[in-house]
Amino acid sequence: MASTPQARLKRDVHSGSEGRHPSLHILFVHSNAAEVERCLQELDKVHFTVSAEIVVTPEGFSERLGSHAYDLVVAELTSPDWRETQALELLHRSKRQIPLIFVGGILQRETVAEFITRGAYDCIEMGRIGHLPVAVRRALQEKTLREERDRAKNGLRHSEARYRALAGNLSYGICRCDRDGKFLEVNEAMVKMLGYASREELMAVNLASGLIQDLAKRAQLLGQPDQQGSVDPSK
């Protein structure tokens, strides 16, 4: 395997193998092809199926981040032409939420703490590279949880924005109640529709006992005609 700026590697699923993980796309920032091969061998031992690429320059790293999707970045801790935390800086600048694991020689605790503080997921010595699969598994699990949390937050923000837009619309009566029929929130259109003087007055009413069981109020709420055959939803 040549140590070229954009070397490509592949670990295929063996025919009939059991319990393999989904395919994993890794970008290696590394100048030593033999050490990359050791990383891949450790991942293969625990049934990771890996598609990997290698870059050796900051320019190549930035280009790859901008044009391809990766599940993980594995970076050499001390690499020619790189500042210590440059891989982290470029990853943050790309806005990609990709876990980054550093691998290298003997690591001082202070160095590991600094790199993790700056955003690295983990730092592993090549002499203990057997720990890599565990770190990768944890990183992917946390990445999945973070993505699920972000989707939930985005969904909640969308729902809240939609609700606020509806609640502020004077053409529709909007309310939110608890399971006992107590109003939690109403908009001004609902107040006017039901003929109350203020939101506070309507909020004090129980929807089930104060409105739904009241035929006249229920007719107004549901847009049904009153005994005279007409409805005035503007009240």
Side-chain angles (χ1 to χ4, degrees):
M1 177 179 60
S3 179
T4 61
Q6 309 243 332
R8 290 176 179 268
L9 306 157
K10 181 71 177 179
R11 290 291 181 277
D12 294 321
V13 177
H14 299 299
S15 177
S17 60
E18 298 292 338
R20 299 192 70 88
H21 297 276
S23 181
L24 182 63
H25 198 186
I26 301 179
L27 179 60
F28 283 89
V29 182
H30 213 296
S31 62
N32 190 318
E35 291 191 354
V36 172
E37 181 65 27
R38 285 184 62 194
C39 294
L40 292 170
Q41 288 172 356
E42 292 300 327
L43 293 171
D44 192 62
K45 286 179 183 178
V46 295
H47 308 303
F48 274 105
T49 301
V50 178
S51 173
E53 298 175 29
I54 305 174
V55 294
V56 297
T57 66
E59 294 77 17
F61 184 52
S62 295
E63 187 278 328
R64 283 289 164 181
L65 288 177
S67 59
H68 294 73
Y70 298 96
D71 300 300
L72 185 74
V73 173
V74 177
E76 187 177 13
L77 188 58
T78 56
S79 182
D81 303 321
W82 287 79
R83 297 192 309 275
E84 275 191 338
T85 58
Q86 191 172 6
L88 275 175
E89 294 167 10
L90 293 175
L91 182 58
H92 292 161
R93 195 178 304 167
S94 74
K95 307 297 184 183
R96 296 292 188 91
Q97 299 296 317
I98 307 173
L100 185 150
I101 296 175
F102 280 108
V103 295
I106 297 176
L107 305 176
Q108 300 298 322
R109 289 184 179 180
E110 295 78 7
T111 301
V112 172
E114 178 185 358
F115 276 51
I116 291 178
T117 298
R118 295 192 181 191
Y121 182 80
D122 206 345
C123 298
I124 300 174
E125 296 180 356
M126 286 303 300
R128 300 179 177 178
I129 200 61
H131 295 172
L132 179 63
V134 175
V136 168
R137 187 177 291 110
R138 288 202 314 262
L140 296 177
Q141 289 172 345
E142 290 190 15
K143 179 174 182 284
T144 298
L145 289 174
R146 184 174 62 248
E147 290 172 347
E148 291 174 352
R149 183 187 64 229
D150 290 344
R151 283 195 295 269
K153 285 183 177 179
N154 289 336
L156 180 60
R157 282 196 293 268
H158 177 75
S159 296
E160 289 177 343
R162 184 172 181 272
Y163 178 77
R164 285 195 297 271
L166 287 172
N169 191 323
L170 296 181
S171 300
Y172 300 94
I174 304 294
C175 67
R176 187 164 62 92
C177 308
D178 63 18
R179 298 178 64 179
D180 296 323
K182 179 177 175 56
F183 283 112
L184 299 175
E185 198 168 352
V186 297
N187 70 344
E188 289 299 326
M190 177 67 78
V191 175
K192 293 180 180 180
M193 178 189 299
L194 297 177
Y196 284 83
S198 67
R199 291 178 69 253
E200 290 72 22
E201 183 180 342
L202 179 54
M203 291 280 287
V205 175
N206 182 282
L207 178 64
S209 62
L211 292 180
I212 299 300
Q213 294 179 7
D214 184 311
L215 297 180
K217 296 296 185 183
R218 182 168 58 192
Q220 286 182 297
L221 182 64
L222 301 177
Q224 297 172 342
D226 58 20
Q227 294 180 349
Q228 286 72 41
S230 64
V231 168
D232 185 0
S234 63
K235 289 184 180 181

